């Protein structure tokens, strides 16, 4: 009895303690309260300095409030990026070539599973640094209006409608479907008129008509706000109509907040606020104080950079910014954290239960392979050259993109544990054949492909390789935790670091020894490192760099003599989540062509792998090569060495297949006239080589379609920094193209019949469209059905045609399916020069098919058709609301 009494007393005391604890618990920790109440309570407890500290991307901890440090910067463009091992999907432009909105949702769901699993792991280790959070600066939904843009690879192509459908589905997959919590925060970027040139993005000021603004540059952003309820937007570097985009009253306040009722937060592009006042950049204000005030007043809430702190404190104290504006911005940020469950008990948040085992799971790898297959676009297939026979015994894979891991990845990528290049995959596909590989040429003039320096040319203390001293610090202090001989320096530590064995740990390494060369020549010696790297040869330090954004490759050209030893030292440290380092080289002036020609002569078939690389096209890069300009391109043709290689190989009269790996359109005019089969593979992800081999040998029927126009020459285009849409994209370009938007061949054929549309509609009516699609070939295949609308002024003031519907349909051989579309009035309205949507009496043309109509030769996909009908619009003209 005494024991029972004691127990009851104990329970009563405990309940009193719980009640007292609940009464003392601050509102912001009380999950029974609304998020708005909790956020308001939290902000009320902060000083001005504390508030501002939370508005920078690397926000520090506020210990007395129990707020841990948090870094808002993370990436997941096509898989979780820069955070160690992850499933690497095809680059965004490749995913766009799938034309498969539902599948984009599946991919994004897999990515967000891995994102949550990684965050859960990192927080349990007490790590809260860059690339470890839940706020992802993805997707890039800018319009790829000009193929010269180096970052176009990050986008979903040149069409606003295609971009919006893919983006909405991708964002929904990232943010999840839980009614109470966000899985992760997605960020649509870069708002809003932004697509190169890279080298002048910090100072350019773009102008467009309202028609182009509302028809081209805003629709995808509007869709992500209104349909996907994206939690965040990132503003752009440039100015638009004289206003800096991250301080634009028009874009951020008038359109985003007032017209679209966006209630999420806006983050600046990195160091964009500094551009407001930096000399030679925009220079619209005097200093960081004024820049910070301008940004926050107009709706930028979070600064990737260092202007807000202490700039905002100074602005408030100087009286140019009310503290209420700080509270408004911080409210949006704290609300996002609350929606992610960061202030709730861990077990209350269902996404916190996602295990690390999902990362690179078999299911996710299969998704990546499926995506790579769907993304491949068969551009040309003369006389059914493809698929190739599996009975082939001698195959030569030739070209600088045929066996390079980086070309699989594109930019903003994660790290795979195994890669399948085209050469490796073809070799695996035909184990009984002799499959050879030759680089054939440099990637571009003066830009050889670097490879890890073999152990045979590295030595230390009489042993092959270099001596490695590993430290637990990032500054090589103390006694090494271990010392070992490393045969080659080519490491990607995805799961466990070499010192503590804990992923994403801080450590440093010193490698030392001697370097020799096989022959006297000029060598390009490079170091690719995720964080800090320093290379010293014979006591001369040739480069030293530190980069917190993404791995860099630095190199130096040295005249080295055979028979001579050179002291080599490498200092490396890691403090991020993707430790990797590689010591690489290439002999300049190599005769790649002779070996490739010999291999081609001995082969039955040549698979020629050409294209570009994220090493030469991308974001604001220090690249100055013929045809390339600081990450952008100045020519659309293949680099000269590759063009020469292709012509030399084709002159041998061997059956030749061209496989292109690239992030932007390439003008392969000579190949279109001379090479019988051309396959566009983009940057296809870690399993891209497998997908390529599957298509080349008929194990997968290609079904991808181009998400952008392949032009014949840069001379066909307006000036790169001209943002008016006249003469651009399939909608307004009137010249001859190499391959049109929507183009793509199949190994089977599709026929369209029985188009059903109304003869007449009133301006406020939706339009139902249906069509029968039949696979008339002998093998199963997927068709991308495309619906285009042309108005009565098509090709004059209005677009030639506009994509307004698409569907990917699987059809067995001989099978027919009906495909249905629904067009709302806004989709067939004309956008006027003032930006208004007008529906006027007259006729519109609806075209449905597996391509655009009206092309000839190879530009006209012979394996599919189009069918069209005319609808009369009756009644009075109607002006639709822009909101």
């Amino acid at each position: 009895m005494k024991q029972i009494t004691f127990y009851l007393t104990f329970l009563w005391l405990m309940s009193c303690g719980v009640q007292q604890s609940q009464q003392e618990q601050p509102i912001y920790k009380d999950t029974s309260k609304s998020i708005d109440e909790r956020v308001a309570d939290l902000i009320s407890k902060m000083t001005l300095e504390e508030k501002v500290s939370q508005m920078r991307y690397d926000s520090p901890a506020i210990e007395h409030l129990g707020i841990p440090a948090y870094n808002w910067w993370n990436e997941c463009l096509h898989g979780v990026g820069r955070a160690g091992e992850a499933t690497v999907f095809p680059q965004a432009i490749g995913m766009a070539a799938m034309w498969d909105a539902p599948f984009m949702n599946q991919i994004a769901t897999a990515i967000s599973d891995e994102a949550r699993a990684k965050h859960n792991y990192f927080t349990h280790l007490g790590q809260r640094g860059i690339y470890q959070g839940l706020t992802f600066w993805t997707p890039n939904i800018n319009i790829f209006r000009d193929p010269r843009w180096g970052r176009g690879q990050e986008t979903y192509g040149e069409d606003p409608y295609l971009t919006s459908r893919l983006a909405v589905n991708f964002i929904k997959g990232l943010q999840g479907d839980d009614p109470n919590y966000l899985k992760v925060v997605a960020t649509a970027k870069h708002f809003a008129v932004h697509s190169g040139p890279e080298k002048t993005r910090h100072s350019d000021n773009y102008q467009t008509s309202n028609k182009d603004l509302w028809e081209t540059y805003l629709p995808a952003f509007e869709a992500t706000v209104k349909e996907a309820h994206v939690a965040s937007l990132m503003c752009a570097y440039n100015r638009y109509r004289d206003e800096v985009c991250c301080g634009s009253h028009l874009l951020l306040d008038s359109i985003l907040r007032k017209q679209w009722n966006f209630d999420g937060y806006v983050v600046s592009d990195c160091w964009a606020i500094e551009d407001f006042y930096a000399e030679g950049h925009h220079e619209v204000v005097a200093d960081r104080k004024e820049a910070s005030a301008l940004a926050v007043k107009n709706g930028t809430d979070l600064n990737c950079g260092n202007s807000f702190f202490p700039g905002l404190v100074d602005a408030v104290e100087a009286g140019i910014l009310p503290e209420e504006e700080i509270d408004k911005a911080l409210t949006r940020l704290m609300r996002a954290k609350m929606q992610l469950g960061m202030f709730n008990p861990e077990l209350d948040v269902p996404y916190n239960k996602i295990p690390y085992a999902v990362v690179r799971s078999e299911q996710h790898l299969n998704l990546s392979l499926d995506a790579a297959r769907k993304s491949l676009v068969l551009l040309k297939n003369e006389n059914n050259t493809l698929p190739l026979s599996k009975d082939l015994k001698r195959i030569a894979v030739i070209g600088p993109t045929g066996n390079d891991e980086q070309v699989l990845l594109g930019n903003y990528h994660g790290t795979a544990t195994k890669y399948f290049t085209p050469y490796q995959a073809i070799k695996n596909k035909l184990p009984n054949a002799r499959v050879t590989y030759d680089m054939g040429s440099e990637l571009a003039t003066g830009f050889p492909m670097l490879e890890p320096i073999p152990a045979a040319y590295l030595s230390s203390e009489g042993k092959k390789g270099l001596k490695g001293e590993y430290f637990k610090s990032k500054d090589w202090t103390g006694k090494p935790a271990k010392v070992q001989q490393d045969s080659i320096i080519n490491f990607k530590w995805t799961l466990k670091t070499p010192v503590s064995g804990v992923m994403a740990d801080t450590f440093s390494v010193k490698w030392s020894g001697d370097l020799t060369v096989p022959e006297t020549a000029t060598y390009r010696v490079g170091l690719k490192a995720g964080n800090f790297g320093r290379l010293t040869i014979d006591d001369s330090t040739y480069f030293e760099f530190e980069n917190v954004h993404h791995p860099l490759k630095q190199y130096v050209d040295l005249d080295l003599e055979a028979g001579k030893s050179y002291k080599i030292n490498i200092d490396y440290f890691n403090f991020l989540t993707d430790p990797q380092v590689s010591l690489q080289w290439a002999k300049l002036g190599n005769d790649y062509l002779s070996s490739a020609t010999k291999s081609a002569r001995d082969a039955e078939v040549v698979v020629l792998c050409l294209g570009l690389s994220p090493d030469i096209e991308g974001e604001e890069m220090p690249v100055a090569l013929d045809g390339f300009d600081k990450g952008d391109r100045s020519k659309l043709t293949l680099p000269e060495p590759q063009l020469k290689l292709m012509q030399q190989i084709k002159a041998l009269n061997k059956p030749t297949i061209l496989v292109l790996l690239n992030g932007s359109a390439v003008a392969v005019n000579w190949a279109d006239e001379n090479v019988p089969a051309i396959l566009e593979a983009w940057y296809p992800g870690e399993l891209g080589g497998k997908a390529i081999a599957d298509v080349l040998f008929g194990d997968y029927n290609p079904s991808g379609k181009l998400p952008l126009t392949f032009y014949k020459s840069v001379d066909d285009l307006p000036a790169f920094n001209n943002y008016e849409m006249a003469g651009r994209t399939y909608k307004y370009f009137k010249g001859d193209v190499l391959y049109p938007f929507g183009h793509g061949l199949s190994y089977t054929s599709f026929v369209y019949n029985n188009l059903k549309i109304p003869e007449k509609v009133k301006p406020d009516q939706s339009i139902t469209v249906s069509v029968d699609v039949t696979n008339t070939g002998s093998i199963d295949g997927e068709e991308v059905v495309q619906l285009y609308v042309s108005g009565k002024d098509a090709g004059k003031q209005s677009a030639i045609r506009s994509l307004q519907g698409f569907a990917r349909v699987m059809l067995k051989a001989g099978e027919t399916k009906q495909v249905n579309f629904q067009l709302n009035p806004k989709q067939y309205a004309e956008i006027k020069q003032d930006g208004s949507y007008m529906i006027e009496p007259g006729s519109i043309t609806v075209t449905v098919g597996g391509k655009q109509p009206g092309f000839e030769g190879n530009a006209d996909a012979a394996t599919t058709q189009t069918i069209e009908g005319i609808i009369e619009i009756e009644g009075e003209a109607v002006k639709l609301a822009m909101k």
Side-chain angles (χ1 to χ4, degrees):
M1 189 68 179
K2 288 182 179 180
Q3 290 179 338
I4 295 175
T5 303
F6 175 80
Y7 182 64
L8 292 174
T9 303
F10 173 76
L11 289 178
W12 178 79
L13 289 171
M14 285 295 294
S15 68
C16 290
V18 170
Q19 291 171 6
Q20 185 177 11
S21 175
Q22 288 177 340
Q23 290 171 357
E24 294 175 352
Q25 186 180 46
I27 292 173
Y28 73 87
K29 290 187 177 181
D30 187 349
T31 58
S32 69
K33 303 292 186 182
S34 70
I35 285 181
D36 288 342
E37 289 177 296
R38 296 173 67 191
V39 169
D41 179 63
L42 178 61
I43 292 174
S44 72
K45 300 180 186 303
M46 295 184 191
T47 65
L48 173 62
E49 288 76 9
E50 287 173 338
K51 292 175 185 178
V52 172
S53 75
Q54 300 302 293
M55 294 171 64
R56 54 182 290 167
Y57 77 100
D58 51 348
S59 56
I62 303 178
E63 306 240 345
H64 73 95
L65 294 176
I67 300 176
Y70 183 74
N71 196 303
W72 295 76
W73 190 339
N74 214 335
E75 308 285 355
C76 64
L77 180 64
H78 53 117
V80 178
R82 306 175 181 172
E85 66 163 358
T87 305
V88 183
F89 292 88
Q91 176 60 292
I93 194 67
M95 291 195 290
M98 300 187 306
W99 289 59
D100 194 337
F103 195 59
M104 289 291 281
N105 185 272
Q106 291 183 51
I107 291 171
T109 298
I111 292 171
S112 56
D113 278 352
E114 295 195 8
R116 264 288 175 171
K118 283 177 167 291
H119 175 73
N120 296 343
Y121 180 87
F122 291 138
T123 54
H124 287 165
L125 291 177
Q127 296 181 336
R128 302 177 183 275
I130 191 170
Y131 311 136
Q132 295 174 341
L134 290 172
T135 43
F136 287 86
W137 296 349
T138 298
N140 183 339
I141 60 172
N142 292 130
I143 300 304
F144 198 177
R145 65 185 174 90
D146 192 303
R148 286 169 284 199
W149 189 32
R151 296 190 73 181
Q153 61 179 284
E154 302 171 26
T155 75
Y156 300 139
E158 70 182 32
D159 181 69
Y161 181 80
L162 177 63
T163 297
S164 68
R165 294 306 91 209
L166 300 182
V168 165
N169 280 270
F170 195 80
I171 288 167
K172 286 182 175 180
L174 289 183
Q175 296 192 163
D177 55 7
D178 189 277
N180 300 312
Y181 296 99
L182 287 169
K183 194 177 186 184
V184 305
V185 162
T187 303
K189 65 185 187 185
H190 310 81
F191 193 58
V193 184
H194 179 83
S195 52
E198 283 296 297
K199 69 179 180 181
T200 54
R201 64 183 183 170
H202 301 287
S203 58
D204 278 349
N205 181 22
Y206 303 129
Q207 309 288 333
T208 72
S209 66
N210 275 334
K211 172 181 172 62
D212 287 339
L213 177 65
W214 285 94
E215 182 180 82
T216 299
Y217 297 110
L218 293 183
F221 286 100
E222 183 176 9
T224 62
V225 169
K226 293 183 176 180
E227 297 179 54
H229 305 292
V230 68
S232 170
L233 267 73
M234 175 181 281
C235 48
Y237 284 113
N238 54 277
R239 276 173 287 159
Y240 178 65
R241 293 183 181 173
D242 306 326
E243 290 187 302
V244 283
C245 286
C246 288
S248 170
H249 178 77
L250 171 66
L251 294 176
L252 299 181
D253 186 60
S254 177
I255 294 174
L256 183 62
R257 299 290 183 191
K258 292 187 171 67
Q259 293 191 44
W260 296 348
N261 297 315
F262 176 66
D263 62 356
Y265 68 88
V266 173
V267 56
S268 75
D269 208 336
C270 293
W271 282 262
I273 308 301
E274 283 76 355
D275 287 340
F276 290 15
Y277 58 88
E279 184 177 357
H281 294 197
H282 298 306
E283 296 187 77
V284 297
V285 295
D287 54 30
R288 72 174 61 200
K289 173 181 64 181
E290 293 182 9
S292 300
L294 177 64
V296 171
K297 279 180 181 177
N298 285 299
T300 297
D301 308 302
L302 180 66
N303 179 207
C304 181
N306 54 22
S307 281
F308 276 12
F309 194 88
L312 286 177
V313 176
D314 296 340
V316 172
E317 291 177 347
I320 63 173
L321 182 71
E323 189 169 348
E324 290 76 15
E325 294 287 346
I326 302 289
D327 292 349
K328 187 191 303 182
L330 189 57
T331 295
R332 296 172 185 143
L333 297 175
M334 293 300 108
R335 184 189 300 128
K337 281 190 168 186
M338 293 278 187
Q339 290 172 320
L340 289 165
M342 290 185 179
F343 291 89
N344 286 19
E346 182 177 332
L347 295 180
D348 285 2
V349 184
Y351 297 127
N352 286 342
K353 300 169 186 175
I354 297 176
Y356 195 85
V358 303
V359 177
R360 296 188 52 75
S361 64
E362 183 178 357
Q363 179 187 3
H364 290 182
L365 292 174
N366 287 337
L367 274 178
S368 178
L369 179 58
D370 286 346
R373 288 168 174 156
K374 288 185 174 188
S375 73
L376 301 182
V377 182
L378 186 58
L379 298 177
K380 181 184 177 184
N381 192 22
E382 188 177 276
N383 299 324
N384 295 321
T385 300
L386 292 176
L388 297 172
S389 169
K390 291 181 184 176
D391 294 329
L392 290 167
K393 298 300 181 184
R394 301 185 311 280
I395 301 166
V397 179
I398 296 172
T401 65
N403 195 35
D404 183 73
E405 291 179 3
Q406 193 66 28
V407 171
L408 299 175
L409 303 178
N411 65 3
Y412 283 90
H413 60 83
T415 300
T417 54
K418 191 168 184 181
Y419 300 86
F420 289 89
T421 65
Y423 164 63
Q424 292 164 332
I426 292 172
K427 200 171 179 180
N428 291 346
K429 176 76 72 176
L430 303 181
N432 297 320
R434 188 182 75 193
V435 182
T436 61
Y437 173 71
D438 288 273
M439 195 173 295
S441 76
E442 295 180 322
L443 185 66
T445 302
F447 199 92
M449 305 290 276
L450 304 187
E451 299 178 316
I453 299 180
Y457 305 108
L458 300 171
S459 63
S460 174
E461 300 174 354
K463 301 175 183 177
K464 288 184 177 180
L466 297 181
K467 177 183 177 182
E469 298 173 273
Y470 293 76
F471 300 82
K472 291 185 176 180
S473 64
K474 77 171 192 177
D475 56 1
W476 310 280
T477 56
K479 184 180 179 181
K482 69 175 180 178
V483 178
Q484 65 184 37
Q485 196 77 5
D486 292 319
S487 58
I488 63 172
I489 312 306
N490 188 37
F491 295 101
K492 292 178 181 176
W493 294 283
T494 54
L495 279 175
K496 296 181 178 180
T497 55
V499 177
S500 67
V502 176
M503 183 168 53
D505 198 13
T506 296
F507 67 94
S508 57
V509 190
K510 279 183 175 291
W511 283 286
S512 59
D514 294 290
L515 169 70
T516 58
V517 296
E519 58 183 292
T520 299
T522 301
Y523 290 81
R524 178 161 293 173
V525 182
L527 188 68
K528 180 179 181 182
N531 297 160
F532 177 92
R534 177 167 53 222
L535 177 67
T536 302
I537 297 178
D538 271 0
D539 299 323
S540 295
T541 299
Y542 286 100
F543 51 79
E544 177 176 298
F545 62 88
E546 182 174 353
N547 181 45
V548 298
H549 305 326
H550 52 81
L552 280 180
K553 184 184 289 182
Q554 299 281 359
Y555 55 82
V556 61
D557 294 341
L558 298 172
D559 294 325
L560 303 176
E561 298 178 22
K564 182 178 178 181
S565 291
Y566 300 87
K567 290 181 181 179
I568 185 168
N569 292 275
I570 301 168
D571 297 326
Y572 167 81
F573 75 71
N574 173 76
F575 61 94
L576 297 184
T577 53
D578 197 17
Q580 51 185 280
V581 60
S582 182
L583 176 64
Q584 304 175 331
W585 73 353
K587 184 169 75 72
L588 299 187
N590 253 334
D591 179 15
Y592 298 107
L593 189 55
S594 295
S595 176
T597 302
K598 181 180 184 304
S599 295
R601 284 198 184 99
D602 293 341
E604 297 171 87
V605 167
V606 177
V607 177
L608 200 55
C609 295
L610 306 179
L612 306 174
S613 164
D615 284 336
I616 58 176
E617 65 167 346
E619 182 177 1
E620 201 174 4
M621 303 172 70
V623 172
L625 299 168
D626 180 43
F628 300 88
D629 188 11
K630 301 298 177 66
D632 295 322
R633 299 167 63 203
S634 54
K635 297 179 182 179
L636 300 185
T637 55
L638 282 170
E640 192 63 32
Q642 296 189 53
L643 183 59
K644 180 182 177 182
L645 168 66
M646 175 169 58
Q647 292 171 342
Q648 292 273 7
I649 295 299
K650 189 63 183 67
L652 300 175
N653 292 318
K654 291 284 184 176
T656 302
I657 314 301
L658 174 59
V659 177
L660 294 170
L661 293 100
N662 46 283
S664 54
V666 183
V668 286
N669 304 347
W670 190 90
D672 182 64
E673 295 173 359
N674 294 279
V675 178
I678 306 174
L679 182 68
E680 173 57 70
W682 317 105
Y683 298 135
E686 60 180 286
L687 300 173
K690 280 189 172 184
I692 290 167
D694 285 346
V695 167
L696 292 181
F697 291 94
D699 291 324
Y700 186 83
N701 188 355
S703 55
K705 304 286 184 177
L706 291 181
L708 71 165
T709 303
F710 275 43
Y711 302 95
K712 292 184 175 181
S713 171
V714 73
D715 296 334
D716 295 336
L717 298 168
F720 191 5
N721 61 359
N722 177 1
Y723 270 69
E724 297 288 346
M725 290 306 296
R728 293 191 183 281
T729 76
Y730 79 95
K731 297 174 79 170
Y732 291 101
F733 183 75
K734 297 180 181 179
D736 293 328
V737 302
L738 185 62
Y739 305 113
F741 174 87
H743 174 82
L745 301 172
S746 172
Y747 291 155
T748 188
S749 56
F750 300 96
V751 171
Y752 288 73
N753 288 295
N754 199 24
L755 176 66
K756 293 181 181 179
I757 55 174
E759 293 183 6
K760 301 176 181 180
V761 296
K762 296 190 181 299
D764 59 349
Q765 288 182 321
S766 292
I767 297 173
T768 299
V769 179
S770 69
V771 69
D772 290 342
V773 188
T774 303
N775 180 348
T776 57
S778 58
I779 64 172
D780 301 347
E782 286 187 282
E783 170 74 323
V784 175
V785 183
Q786 306 163 38
L787 184 154
Y788 296 91
V789 175
S790 299
K792 65 177 184 177
D793 294 325
K796 299 175 184 177
Q797 292 295 319
S798 299
I800 299 167
R801 62 184 63 91
S802 296
L803 179 74
Q804 295 297 341
F806 64 93
R808 178 180 269 268
V809 183
M810 180 67 197
L811 293 165
K812 295 180 180 179
E815 184 180 12
T816 299
K817 285 185 180 178
Q818 185 182 78
V819 180
N820 300 291
F821 299 98
Q822 192 81 9
L823 295 175
N824 64 54
K826 196 172 180 180
Q827 288 184 273
Y828 60 87
E830 296 280 356
I831 301 180
K832 300 301 183 181
Q833 288 302 317
D834 64 357
S836 63
Y837 289 75
M838 292 291 297
I839 301 179
E840 298 172 327
S843 62
I844 61 170
T845 301
V846 174
T847 304
V848 184
K851 59 184 177 182
Q852 289 189 70
F855 294 91
E856 297 180 351
N858 293 329
D860 183 35
T863 57
T864 189
Q865 290 184 332
T866 62
I867 188 170
E868 69 177 40
I870 296 175
I871 302 173
E872 290 294 325
I873 309 296
E874 296 185 317
E876 300 293 326
V878 172
K879 184 175 183 178
L880 303 179
M882 293 173 66
K883 292 185 179 181

